[in-house]
Amino acid sequence: MKAKREWTREVLERNSLTGSKLRQEVSRIIEQAKENSFCNCHNDAHCTHCLRQRVVHLLTEKGFHASLCTSKWKHTKKFPGGKHEYIELIASTQGRKKQVTYLIELEFRDQFKIAKACEEYRKLIARLPEYYIGKPDYLNAIVCVLCDAAKRSMKEKKLHMGPWRKRRFMQMKWSSSFGRRESLPEPFSISKLSTAPAVVVT
């Protein structure tokens, strides 16, 4: 499990070096979104759905190409049906020759928590940031490591590993193959997004 911790640390460090200025700006915007009341559904004063809407709204105000996405998959023999909401951000490389996709997950660490995990797995989870801002390939690499570690932890504790904790299921949460972009209700409309300047990744 120690090797898993080191690999997770390495992947997180690589991710942090990619688009670091962009990540800092997005992190600042997320914290800004949390400062004031943001819930419009009246179900929960701090619901994550409304927070995501607020973050997308602030990102687009700053010129980011951001959208609220929902991945949704049907029930199969292997996995239960479900859906997951996250934020997608499109940036441009220097010279605007290439567009780069970034995913923003506001409950990243919570996605991998296990109630009766072994000590090594808890240490692994402790290394994770509260929210993820990075490329899909780095996210997939982290998911692979964590799901394998979760399997080992469950085996050590002699617990059954539910299908919702397996790698394939977790990857579906952030897969564009199962996703669709959503238009945001007022005042979070992104209908004018096409006129916003693309943010450059440095």
PDB file of all heavy atoms in Angstrom, residues 133-152:
ATOM      1  N   ILE A 133      -8.974  19.483  -9.771  1.00  0.00           N
ATOM      2  CA  ILE A 133      -8.945  20.375 -10.927  1.00  0.00           C
ATOM      3  C   ILE A 133      -7.811  19.881 -11.812  1.00  0.00           C
ATOM      4  O   ILE A 133      -6.635  20.053 -11.481  1.00  0.00           O
ATOM      5  CB  ILE A 133      -8.678  21.838 -10.521  1.00  0.00           C
ATOM      6  CG1 ILE A 133      -9.685  22.307  -9.466  1.00  0.00           C
ATOM      7  CG2 ILE A 133      -8.716  22.751 -11.746  1.00  0.00           C
ATOM      8  CD1 ILE A 133      -9.297  23.611  -8.800  1.00  0.00           C
ATOM      9  N   GLY A 134      -8.125  19.232 -12.902  1.00  0.00           N
ATOM     10  CA  GLY A 134      -7.060  18.682 -13.729  1.00  0.00           C
ATOM     11  C   GLY A 134      -7.581  17.968 -14.956  1.00  0.00           C
ATOM     12  O   GLY A 134      -8.782  17.937 -15.235  1.00  0.00           O
ATOM     13  N   LYS A 135      -6.657  17.374 -15.682  1.00  0.00           N
ATOM     14  CA  LYS A 135      -6.990  16.679 -16.919  1.00  0.00           C
ATOM     15  C   LYS A 135      -7.639  15.321 -16.633  1.00  0.00           C
ATOM     16  O   LYS A 135      -7.367  14.701 -15.601  1.00  0.00           O
ATOM     17  CB  LYS A 135      -5.728  16.481 -17.758  1.00  0.00           C
ATOM     18  CG  LYS A 135      -5.104  17.776 -18.255  1.00  0.00           C
ATOM     19  CD  LYS A 135      -3.874  17.493 -19.095  1.00  0.00           C
ATOM     20  CE  LYS A 135      -3.245  18.779 -19.616  1.00  0.00           C
ATOM     21  NZ  LYS A 135      -2.039  18.512 -20.436  1.00  0.00           N
ATOM     22  N   PRO A 136      -8.474  14.840 -17.566  1.00  0.00           N
ATOM     23  CA  PRO A 136      -9.138  13.546 -17.383  1.00  0.00           C
ATOM     24  C   PRO A 136      -8.176  12.374 -17.237  1.00  0.00           C
ATOM     25  O   PRO A 136      -8.451  11.438 -16.483  1.00  0.00           O
ATOM     26  CB  PRO A 136      -9.984  13.409 -18.661  1.00  0.00           C
ATOM     27  CG  PRO A 136     -10.234  14.812 -19.103  1.00  0.00           C
ATOM     28  CD  PRO A 136      -8.974  15.550 -18.765  1.00  0.00           C
ATOM     29  N   ASP A 137      -7.034  12.405 -17.953  1.00  0.00           N
ATOM     30  CA  ASP A 137      -6.124  11.261 -17.889  1.00  0.00           C
ATOM     31  C   ASP A 137      -5.475  11.128 -16.512  1.00  0.00           C
ATOM     32  O   ASP A 137      -5.272  10.016 -16.011  1.00  0.00           O
ATOM     33  CB  ASP A 137      -5.056  11.335 -18.989  1.00  0.00           C
ATOM     34  CG  ASP A 137      -4.323  12.662 -19.017  1.00  0.00           C
ATOM     35  OD1 ASP A 137      -4.769  13.604 -18.348  1.00  0.00           O
ATOM     36  OD2 ASP A 137      -3.300  12.757 -19.728  1.00  0.00           O
ATOM     37  N   TYR A 138      -5.161  12.251 -15.872  1.00  0.00           N
ATOM     38  CA  TYR A 138      -4.621  12.190 -14.516  1.00  0.00           C
ATOM     39  C   TYR A 138      -5.683  11.681 -13.542  1.00  0.00           C
ATOM     40  O   TYR A 138      -5.388  10.916 -12.626  1.00  0.00           O
ATOM     41  CB  TYR A 138      -4.126  13.563 -14.068  1.00  0.00           C
ATOM     42  CG  TYR A 138      -2.811  13.973 -14.686  1.00  0.00           C
ATOM     43  CD1 TYR A 138      -2.727  15.081 -15.520  1.00  0.00           C
ATOM     44  CD2 TYR A 138      -1.648  13.250 -14.437  1.00  0.00           C
ATOM     45  CE1 TYR A 138      -1.521  15.458 -16.098  1.00  0.00           C
ATOM     46  CE2 TYR A 138      -0.439  13.618 -15.007  1.00  0.00           C
ATOM     47  CZ  TYR A 138      -0.383  14.726 -15.838  1.00  0.00           C
ATOM     48  OH  TYR A 138       0.808  15.088 -16.406  1.00  0.00           O
ATOM     49  N   LEU A 139      -6.910  12.108 -13.756  1.00  0.00           N
ATOM     50  CA  LEU A 139      -8.004  11.650 -12.899  1.00  0.00           C
ATOM     51  C   LEU A 139      -8.184  10.143 -13.022  1.00  0.00           C
ATOM     52  O   LEU A 139      -8.340   9.434 -12.014  1.00  0.00           O
ATOM     53  CB  LEU A 139      -9.298  12.368 -13.281  1.00  0.00           C
ATOM     54  CG  LEU A 139     -10.561  11.954 -12.514  1.00  0.00           C
ATOM     55  CD1 LEU A 139     -10.379  12.151 -11.019  1.00  0.00           C
ATOM     56  CD2 LEU A 139     -11.763  12.738 -13.013  1.00  0.00           C
ATOM     57  N   ASN A 140      -8.139   9.626 -14.241  1.00  0.00           N
ATOM     58  CA  ASN A 140      -8.281   8.184 -14.451  1.00  0.00           C
ATOM     59  C   ASN A 140      -7.160   7.409 -13.774  1.00  0.00           C
ATOM     60  O   ASN A 140      -7.384   6.328 -13.213  1.00  0.00           O
ATOM     61  CB  ASN A 140      -8.307   7.868 -15.951  1.00  0.00           C
ATOM     62  CG  ASN A 140      -9.655   8.143 -16.582  1.00  0.00           C
ATOM     63  OD1 ASN A 140     -10.690   8.038 -15.923  1.00  0.00           O
ATOM     64  ND2 ASN A 140      -9.658   8.510 -17.850  1.00  0.00           N
ATOM     65  N   ALA A 141      -5.949   7.954 -13.824  1.00  0.00           N
ATOM     66  CA  ALA A 141      -4.812   7.290 -13.182  1.00  0.00           C
ATOM     67  C   ALA A 141      -5.011   7.211 -11.673  1.00  0.00           C
ATOM     68  O   ALA A 141      -4.741   6.182 -11.043  1.00  0.00           O
ATOM     69  CB  ALA A 141      -3.520   8.037 -13.510  1.00  0.00           C
ATOM     70  N   ILE A 142      -5.499   8.300 -11.089  1.00  0.00           N
ATOM     71  CA  ILE A 142      -5.744   8.326  -9.644  1.00  0.00           C
ATOM     72  C   ILE A 142      -6.856   7.354  -9.272  1.00  0.00           C
ATOM     73  O   ILE A 142      -6.762   6.629  -8.276  1.00  0.00           O
ATOM     74  CB  ILE A 142      -6.105   9.755  -9.194  1.00  0.00           C
ATOM     75  CG1 ILE A 142      -4.907  10.690  -9.401  1.00  0.00           C
ATOM     76  CG2 ILE A 142      -6.526   9.766  -7.722  1.00  0.00           C
ATOM     77  CD1 ILE A 142      -5.231  12.153  -9.198  1.00  0.00           C
ATOM     78  N   VAL A 143      -7.918   7.326 -10.081  1.00  0.00           N
ATOM     79  CA  VAL A 143      -9.042   6.420  -9.822  1.00  0.00           C
ATOM     80  C   VAL A 143      -8.576   4.963  -9.828  1.00  0.00           C
ATOM     81  O   VAL A 143      -8.974   4.169  -8.969  1.00  0.00           O
ATOM     82  CB  VAL A 143     -10.164   6.630 -10.859  1.00  0.00           C
ATOM     83  CG1 VAL A 143     -11.211   5.519 -10.765  1.00  0.00           C
ATOM     84  CG2 VAL A 143     -10.838   7.980 -10.645  1.00  0.00           C
ATOM     85  N   CYS A 144      -7.736   4.617 -10.785  1.00  0.00           N
ATOM     86  CA  CYS A 144      -7.228   3.242 -10.876  1.00  0.00           C
ATOM     87  C   CYS A 144      -6.489   2.844  -9.603  1.00  0.00           C
ATOM     88  O   CYS A 144      -6.706   1.760  -9.049  1.00  0.00           O
ATOM     89  CB  CYS A 144      -6.304   3.099 -12.082  1.00  0.00           C
ATOM     90  SG  CYS A 144      -7.150   3.139 -13.681  1.00  0.00           S
ATOM     91  N   VAL A 145      -5.615   3.722  -9.137  1.00  0.00           N
ATOM     92  CA  VAL A 145      -4.828   3.437  -7.937  1.00  0.00           C
ATOM     93  C   VAL A 145      -5.727   3.323  -6.708  1.00  0.00           C
ATOM     94  O   VAL A 145      -5.602   2.392  -5.903  1.00  0.00           O
ATOM     95  CB  VAL A 145      -3.768   4.535  -7.711  1.00  0.00           C
ATOM     96  CG1 VAL A 145      -3.075   4.345  -6.366  1.00  0.00           C
ATOM     97  CG2 VAL A 145      -2.738   4.514  -8.831  1.00  0.00           C
ATOM     98  N   LEU A 146      -6.656   4.255  -6.566  1.00  0.00           N
ATOM     99  CA  LEU A 146      -7.503   4.287  -5.379  1.00  0.00           C
ATOM    100  C   LEU A 146      -8.480   3.114  -5.331  1.00  0.00           C
ATOM    101  O   LEU A 146      -8.733   2.554  -4.259  1.00  0.00           O
ATOM    102  CB  LEU A 146      -8.268   5.607  -5.322  1.00  0.00           C
ATOM    103  CG  LEU A 146      -7.406   6.851  -5.083  1.00  0.00           C
ATOM    104  CD1 LEU A 146      -8.258   8.105  -5.171  1.00  0.00           C
ATOM    105  CD2 LEU A 146      -6.721   6.778  -3.730  1.00  0.00           C
ATOM    106  N   CYS A 147      -9.029   2.741  -6.474  1.00  0.00           N
ATOM    107  CA  CYS A 147      -9.968   1.614  -6.493  1.00  0.00           C
ATOM    108  C   CYS A 147      -9.253   0.301  -6.186  1.00  0.00           C
ATOM    109  O   CYS A 147      -9.803  -0.574  -5.512  1.00  0.00           O
ATOM    110  CB  CYS A 147     -10.677   1.542  -7.842  1.00  0.00           C
ATOM    111  SG  CYS A 147     -11.883   2.860  -8.086  1.00  0.00           S
ATOM    112  N   ASP A 148      -8.028   0.169  -6.670  1.00  0.00           N
ATOM    113  CA  ASP A 148      -7.235  -1.016  -6.355  1.00  0.00           C
ATOM    114  C   ASP A 148      -6.911  -1.046  -4.864  1.00  0.00           C
ATOM    115  O   ASP A 148      -6.975  -2.097  -4.220  1.00  0.00           O
ATOM    116  CB  ASP A 148      -5.949  -1.015  -7.178  1.00  0.00           C
ATOM    117  CG  ASP A 148      -5.125  -2.280  -6.962  1.00  0.00           C
ATOM    118  OD1 ASP A 148      -5.684  -3.378  -7.113  1.00  0.00           O
ATOM    119  OD2 ASP A 148      -3.929  -2.161  -6.634  1.00  0.00           O
ATOM    120  N   ALA A 149      -6.583   0.122  -4.313  1.00  0.00           N
ATOM    121  CA  ALA A 149      -6.288   0.210  -2.886  1.00  0.00           C
ATOM    122  C   ALA A 149      -7.535  -0.072  -2.050  1.00  0.00           C
ATOM    123  O   ALA A 149      -7.462  -0.706  -0.996  1.00  0.00           O
ATOM    124  CB  ALA A 149      -5.738   1.595  -2.551  1.00  0.00           C
ATOM    125  N   ALA A 150      -8.690   0.388  -2.527  1.00  0.00           N
ATOM    126  CA  ALA A 150      -9.947   0.133  -1.818  1.00  0.00           C
ATOM    127  C   ALA A 150     -10.249  -1.362  -1.792  1.00  0.00           C
ATOM    128  O   ALA A 150     -10.712  -1.904  -0.780  1.00  0.00           O
ATOM    129  CB  ALA A 150     -11.088   0.890  -2.499  1.00  0.00           C
ATOM    130  N   LYS A 151      -9.963  -2.028  -2.894  1.00  0.00           N
ATOM    131  CA  LYS A 151     -10.178  -3.478  -2.976  1.00  0.00           C
ATOM    132  C   LYS A 151      -9.309  -4.207  -1.959  1.00  0.00           C
ATOM    133  O   LYS A 151      -9.774  -5.123  -1.261  1.00  0.00           O
ATOM    134  CB  LYS A 151      -9.861  -3.958  -4.391  1.00  0.00           C
ATOM    135  CG  LYS A 151     -10.119  -5.440  -4.616  1.00  0.00           C
ATOM    136  CD  LYS A 151      -9.831  -5.815  -6.065  1.00  0.00           C
ATOM    137  CE  LYS A 151     -10.086  -7.300  -6.305  1.00  0.00           C
ATOM    138  NZ  LYS A 151      -9.827  -7.666  -7.731  1.00  0.00           N
ATOM    139  N   ARG A 152      -8.055  -3.788  -1.840  1.00  0.00           N
ATOM    140  CA  ARG A 152      -7.142  -4.401  -0.878  1.00  0.00           C
ATOM    141  C   ARG A 152      -7.601  -4.137   0.558  1.00  0.00           C
ATOM    142  O   ARG A 152      -7.522  -5.005   1.427  1.00  0.00           O
ATOM    143  CB  ARG A 152      -5.729  -3.861  -1.083  1.00  0.00           C
ATOM    144  CG  ARG A 152      -5.074  -4.303  -2.390  1.00  0.00           C
ATOM    145  CD  ARG A 152      -3.731  -3.612  -2.572  1.00  0.00           C
ATOM    146  NE  ARG A 152      -3.086  -4.000  -3.808  1.00  0.00           N
ATOM    147  CZ  ARG A 152      -2.277  -5.040  -3.944  1.00  0.00           C
ATOM    148  NH1 ARG A 152      -2.009  -5.804  -2.896  1.00  0.00           N
ATOM    149  NH2 ARG A 152      -1.728  -5.327  -5.106  1.00  0.00           N
TER     150      ARG A 152
END
